[in-house]
Amino acid sequence: MNPHQQREVDALLNKMGDQNGGKLYTLNIDEKNPDGGNGHLPSHPDRSKRLPFNTDNMGARVLKYFKKRLPVIQWTKQYNKEDIVSDAIAGITVGLTVIPQGIAYAIVAGLEPQYGLYSAFMGCFVYCIFGSSKDITIGPTAIMALMTEAHASYGPDYAVLLAFLAGLIILSFGILQLGFLIDFISVPVIAGFTSAAAITIASGQVKSLLGLSIEEKSHLHLGIVDGWIDVFTYIKTTRWEDALLGIICSVLLLSLRSLNRTNWFKTSDNPDEGIQTLFNKLSPTGQKVLSKSVWFVCTARNAVVVVICAMMAGFINPECVDVMDAMKEGNYTGNATCMWTLTGKIKTGLPPLKPPPFSTMSGNSTVPFGEMAQQLGSAIIVIPLIAILESVAIAKAFAGGKPVDASQEMIALGFCNIFGAFVSSMPTTGSFSRTAVNAASGVKSPFGGLFTGGLVILCLAFLIPFCAFIPKATLAAVIITAVIFSVEYEVVMPMWKSKRLDLIPAMTCFLVCLFYELELGILAGVVVQLLFILYHTARPGVHVQIKKVSGSQQEYLYIAPDQGIVFPSVSYVRNLINKAGMRQAGPNVPVVIDCSQINTTDFTAAKGFKAMLSDFSERNTEVYWLDPSPSVAHTLKSIAQGNFKAIFGDIELGEGARGGSLSPVPQVSPATAPLLNRGGQQPADLEKV
């Protein structure tokens, strides 16, 4: 090894060492015989050179890693008193929203109401430490509740175990940076899934909205069809009091939502006629007070409506909760009636802090962990994917154009579910509606989650007895008005106008989710989308045209694949080129394959092209490869050997031989022109791979 080679080796080793955080050892060359290759290690290398990394910087690297994975260390440095006030206002506002939603989503999941509140506080606390977005709030959501319902029917232990296992998988995805798997769920599939889930959730609440008494449920296993069959079968059991209350609550909630989106209570130099004009006539103090009051009522509309209805039920029928519980137990002998169907007694107090259930009781027998996991089935994978999808999408939506660390969001969400399982939480993820409330409330940091979680704990400790008076029709109205806006009907026309083929996976996912199961629906949509991708990979577009060399009458057959050629597509492309060559090429018309769009190839494709080149060689037809990339050229030449001939040149506009139209053709240099003119031997100075 000469000194120049030694310097190259040292530079390469040092570069490798820098990539590993430290400098690798170098080879020493015997100065008396530098060309002899007598490299040897130093007799007494120091410790830092023996290791593939520099231990002196290990502490700094570990500290940097923990700072990256613990965002709380960063934002607390700039935290001040004004931020605390803003976070307190936002956190309490979100808390007033999550309490009624948590109770409602627990009912959607088929669990007792307190489980919704158990799921609403631990995620808020944990996300303060690991979360990177100031706006996101973690807790129960409608989709998570609906996907948990099928498994919660076996008992609450299954829902808690599902939260723990989902947290482990989400955390693993974050640590291993496997978030790219979410990219395989396309926007059409997501739209179909969320729309079907929203319709399913809303349909399931119609019976509570109308106060129906369903004695025997339909078991056709046709998704929402079963629920609507029950509704129409028992429509005669409708309680007009519940139906009237549910409709009034729905109208009120939708009206407050719309009011929050108007400009009636906003100052303007050119106010609209009507309410905004009257608002602008108030004093600045009056405008501020009224504007903030309207905003608070509209933002916390769920809590406002639920509290009003609970107070009405408590004053009208204060004994109704006891009556309902006695009726459930079959011990009631009186004739008292309740005006509305109420939620009923809810277990008071904080949940016990205990490990997730790795076994449970079913009757008098114990169900081990293996059977519980088998019962959960595909939900162990599907629910973490949906949770990641929701949370990361929300983080990006509220990032304000800033980059989002998806891996950190997955780590935070994983820990939220893992720690949540220790307080009997069902699977949780980011909530779009509560995140929007959080952002609109002026939150400054994830610290607002402490106030949200604290308010939920206060409710569990002191307010649960009052929650028993919440009418079920009111909760149904809260759920329906929250989910109906998740039906993404607005994406249908853009897909129809841009690429109608995308409607197939969207409708496949939508219909399977709607009329069968959510897990299989999203799987069906992903499978259809992957089939489309595989088809396009196996059947790439290939442009074939007879062209002329610029400035001459020499014709050649121009072939341009529009993507990389790999093993599923090689037979198709090879046969297409062979057919075109047999019809249009010949001894005087060579073939030029434009490689500008071929970004990759593989061994199978190279073997196929070798056979193709042999076929052309037997017909005395030359084949040239225009502008292949180094990797493609290396793969093809390694297999085709001397039959692989590469030419290089710029692209200009030249007149095509057929049709008289202008078409892009290769501008060959003088060195490569003789190849196409067919007039002489291959020049010695040809740039060849």
Side-chain angles (χ1 to χ4, degrees):
M1 182 182 291
N2 57 45
H4 177 70
Q5 292 172 326
Q6 168 65 21
R7 287 192 295 271
E8 290 183 347
V9 171
D10 288 347
L12 178 60
L13 291 173
N14 288 336
K15 182 179 179 181
M16 294 171 62
D18 291 339
Q19 293 175 350
N20 289 316
K23 183 177 178 181
L24 293 170
Y25 58 78
T26 60
L27 295 176
N28 288 338
I29 303 299
D30 191 346
E31 295 179 356
K32 296 181 180 180
N33 186 19
D35 297 327
N38 297 324
H40 60 274
L41 292 175
S43 301
H44 302 285
D46 60 49
R47 182 176 180 83
S48 64
K49 292 185 177 182
R50 290 201 309 268
L51 296 174
F53 51 83
N54 191 343
T55 56
D56 295 337
N57 295 328
M58 180 177 291
R61 292 198 303 272
V62 170
L63 182 60
K64 181 179 179 181
Y65 178 81
F66 275 104
K67 285 183 178 180
K68 181 179 180 182
R69 295 308 178 200
L70 294 173
V72 65
I73 298 176
Q74 300 297 325
W75 59 261
T76 50
K77 294 179 180 179
Q78 294 84 28
Y79 206 66
N80 53 47
K81 295 180 180 179
E82 289 77 11
D83 294 338
I84 293 178
V85 175
S86 299
D87 287 344
I89 295 173
I92 293 173
T93 305
V94 173
L96 293 174
T97 304
V98 74
I99 289 173
Q101 283 187 347
I103 295 173
Y105 293 152
I107 296 174
V108 171
L111 297 169
E112 295 179 5
Q114 68 268 17
Y115 283 95
L117 298 179
Y118 293 167
S119 309
F121 67 88
M122 183 58 78
C124 298
F125 296 152
V126 175
Y127 193 82
C128 290
I129 301 173
F130 297 99
S132 60
S133 172
K134 67 180 179 63
D135 300 305
I136 287 185
T137 61
I138 304 296
T141 65
I143 291 180
M144 287 289 101
L146 181 62
M147 298 188 71
T148 304
E149 180 188 16
H151 311 286
S153 60
Y154 301 106
D157 286 347
Y158 285 86
V160 177
L161 179 62
L162 184 57
F164 180 75
L165 297 178
L168 288 179
I169 293 176
I170 296 171
L171 179 62
S172 301
F173 276 30
I175 294 175
L176 300 177
Q177 298 184 348
L178 298 178
F180 69 92
L181 294 175
I182 304 302
D183 296 335
F184 286 96
I185 305 178
S186 64
V187 172
V189 173
I190 296 172
F193 170 77
T194 55
S195 299
I199 295 174
T200 302
I201 294 169
S203 299
Q205 296 303 308
V206 172
K207 58 184 179 183
S208 296
L209 189 75
L210 301 178
L212 301 180
S213 298
I214 297 176
E215 298 177 359
E216 185 178 355
K217 294 184 178 180
S218 175
H219 296 285
L220 297 178
H221 303 291
L222 293 176
I224 65 168
V225 174
D226 290 357
W228 282 105
I229 289 176
D230 295 338
V231 169
F232 287 109
T233 301
Y234 295 95
I235 192 67
K236 294 181 179 180
T237 65
T238 300
R239 301 181 80 251
W240 70 268
E241 300 93 338
D242 286 330
L244 181 61
L245 179 65
I247 293 173
I248 291 175
C249 289
S250 298
V251 172
L252 183 58
L253 288 168
L254 293 175
S255 300
L256 290 174
R257 182 181 186 274
S258 300
L259 180 62
N260 204 25
R261 285 163 170 75
T262 65
N263 59 357
W264 291 352
F265 300 97
K266 296 179 182 179
T267 57
S268 174
D269 295 333
N270 298 308
D272 297 333
E273 293 184 2
I275 296 178
Q276 191 177 24
T277 300
L278 296 175
F279 175 77
N280 278 262
K281 293 180 179 180
L282 298 176
S283 64
T285 303
Q287 290 179 356
K288 184 176 181 180
V289 172
L290 182 58
S291 176
K292 291 293 184 181
S293 300
V294 171
W295 172 84
F296 179 80
V297 171
C298 293
T299 302
R301 58 186 177 274
N302 291 334
V304 172
V305 171
V306 166
V307 169
I308 292 174
C309 291
M311 292 176 63
M312 289 170 53
F315 282 116
I316 295 174
N317 294 119
E319 74 287 348
C320 188
V321 173
D322 296 328
V323 171
M324 289 180 58
D325 290 337
M327 287 182 176
K328 288 181 180 179
E329 297 174 0
N331 300 327
Y332 185 69
T333 57
N335 57 1
T337 58
C338 299
M339 178 171 287
W340 298 300
T341 304
L342 305 183
T343 301
K345 284 188 177 180
I346 304 175
K347 185 178 179 181
T348 307
L350 299 178
L353 184 63
K354 61 180 181 179
F358 295 105
S359 63
T360 187
M361 296 299 296
S362 178
N364 296 325
S365 60
T366 301
V367 181
F369 171 76
E371 292 185 16
M372 293 180 70
Q374 185 178 4
Q375 196 71 50
L376 294 175
S378 61
I380 298 176
I381 298 297
V382 175
I383 285 183
L385 292 179
I386 300 302
I388 293 171
L389 189 66
E390 282 193 83
S391 190
V392 173
I394 293 171
K396 291 180 179 179
F398 287 87
K402 297 179 181 179
V404 174
D405 188 349
S407 296
Q408 182 60 35
E409 285 301 307
M410 286 187 281
I411 290 173
L413 183 59
F415 277 125
C416 287
N417 279 276
I418 291 173
F419 285 105
F422 285 83
V423 291
S424 303
S425 168
M426 64 182 183
T428 58
T429 186
S431 168
F432 191 90
S433 61
R434 294 194 296 273
T435 299
V437 170
N438 206 24
S441 302
V443 69
K444 299 299 182 181
S445 74
F447 192 72
L450 290 182
F451 296 96
T452 300
L455 188 60
V456 174
I457 289 177
L458 288 176
C459 179
L460 282 167
F462 304 107
L463 301 178
I464 284 296
F466 302 99
C467 294
F469 288 95
I470 300 175
K472 287 187 176 181
T474 302
L475 291 178
V478 169
I479 295 171
I480 292 174
T481 56
V483 301
I484 57 174
F485 297 100
S486 297
V487 180
E488 300 184 33
Y489 60 87
E490 70 278 0
V491 303
V492 175
M493 288 308 299
M495 279 193 285
W496 177 265
K497 294 178 180 178
S498 60
K499 191 172 183 180
R500 298 177 182 178
L501 201 63
D502 284 338
L503 287 171
I504 296 178
M507 293 306 298
T508 300
C509 179
F510 176 76
L511 294 175
V512 176
C513 287
L514 201 62
F515 298 110
Y516 197 56
E517 293 182 3
L518 288 176
E519 292 94 338
L520 293 180
I522 195 168
L523 179 62
V526 170
V527 168
V528 171
Q529 193 77 72
L530 290 178
L531 288 176
F532 286 168
I533 295 174
L534 292 176
Y535 178 81
H536 289 306
T537 301
R539 295 294 182 268
V542 180
H543 177 67
V544 180
Q545 185 179 1
I546 289 289
K547 294 186 177 182
K548 289 184 178 180
V549 176
S550 179
S552 71
Q553 297 300 315
Q554 174 65 55
E555 290 185 341
Y556 64 94
L557 180 62
Y558 175 79
I559 298 175
D562 63 359
Q563 65 182 40
I565 308 299
V566 289
F567 67 92
S569 60
V570 62
S571 297
Y572 170 77
V573 175
R574 174 189 169 186
N575 292 335
L576 192 150
I577 294 176
N578 271 328
K579 289 180 181 179
M582 293 176 66
R583 295 174 182 174
Q584 300 174 325
N588 296 322
V589 182
V591 176
V592 175
I593 301 176
D594 188 351
C595 302
S596 59
Q597 301 297 321
I598 303 178
N599 57 358
T600 184
T601 189
D602 58 16
F603 174 78
T604 304
K607 292 285 287 185
F609 284 134
K610 179 183 179 181
M612 181 195 73
L613 294 175
S614 299
D615 295 339
F616 277 102
S617 179
E618 293 177 359
R619 298 195 295 267
N620 295 322
T621 302
E622 295 288 347
V623 179
Y624 301 97
W625 303 78
L626 176 64
D627 291 333
S629 66
S631 62
V632 171
H634 173 75
T635 303
L636 295 177
K637 184 164 181 63
S638 298
I639 303 301
Q641 301 296 329
N643 288 334
F644 175 75
K645 301 173 183 178
I647 58 177
F648 299 86
D650 299 327
I651 301 294
E652 68 174 9
L653 291 179
E655 185 176 357
R658 297 186 177 183
S661 61
L662 293 179
S663 307
V665 301
Q667 178 187 5
V668 292
S669 62
T672 58
L675 289 173
L676 297 180
N677 288 336
R678 307 283 299 167
Q681 301 295 324
Q682 180 174 333
D685 59 346
L686 170 66
E687 183 179 2
K688 190 173 180 181
V689 177

